[in-house]
Amino acid sequence: MSSPASSPPKTNARAKPGALLTGGGVPLPAVIAKQCAKRWEAAPYLEGQTLFYQGHASYGAFLVCSGTVGLLSDPEGEPVPAAKQGTMLGTREMLTGRTFEATAVVVGGPARICFIDKTSFLSLLASQDRLMQAIMRVLLPER
């Protein structure tokens, strides 16, 4: 199956260490992260390569299988955190139809990332209560 993660990722020359933070995304239960990593092939990314760009539409979610992904916000906007192994990025944008609020860039060395297209993700979501709960906590945070 063809996906954005299967084509060679592009390098983001604007990525600067001072613009990156840590944390964020949807942390998946370990068993679900392992199932996803087995079902969808992880593509290798090098430090500085981009997963998605701010303002672009989402056609799926990205699971960080290894490494770290930093999220760069607009220079005028608020900084957005980064994600580590077992974290899924892009779920909010994929499910709500919003564009990405930040650009995702691999930081701190190489990474392996699974791209899960929207149709496959929705099928997975319907079959995994724990995944549904994790996603709902992110989409509907407690106040």
Side-chain angles (χ1 to χ4, degrees), residues 38-127:
K38 286 181 183 177
R39 186 170 174 185
W40 290 278
E41 186 176 342
Y45 282 74
L46 298 175
E47 183 172 6
Q49 289 184 307
T50 302
L51 275 65
F52 53 80
Y53 291 91
Q54 182 177 18
H56 287 198
S58 173
Y59 299 100
F62 295 84
L63 173 63
V64 180
C65 297
S66 67
T68 304
V69 176
L71 298 177
L72 296 164
S73 66
D74 185 282
E76 305 300 323
E78 293 294 316
V80 181
K84 295 186 182 228
Q85 181 177 347
T87 302
M88 191 170 280
L89 296 168
T91 52
R92 179 186 314 257
E93 293 83 359
M94 177 185 56
L95 294 172
T96 63
R98 294 181 182 170
T99 59
F100 290 113
E101 295 178 3
T103 296
V105 180
V106 174
V107 295
R112 296 193 59 80
I113 311 291
C114 289
F115 175 78
I116 306 170
D117 65 273
K118 185 174 182 175
T119 301
S120 297
F121 180 81
L122 292 175
S123 174
L124 176 68
L125 195 60
S127 68

Side-chain angles (χ1 to χ4, degrees), residues 2-17:
S2 178
S3 70
S6 63
S7 61
K10 297 177 183 174
T11 299
N12 184 345
R14 295 183 316 144
K16 293 185 174 67

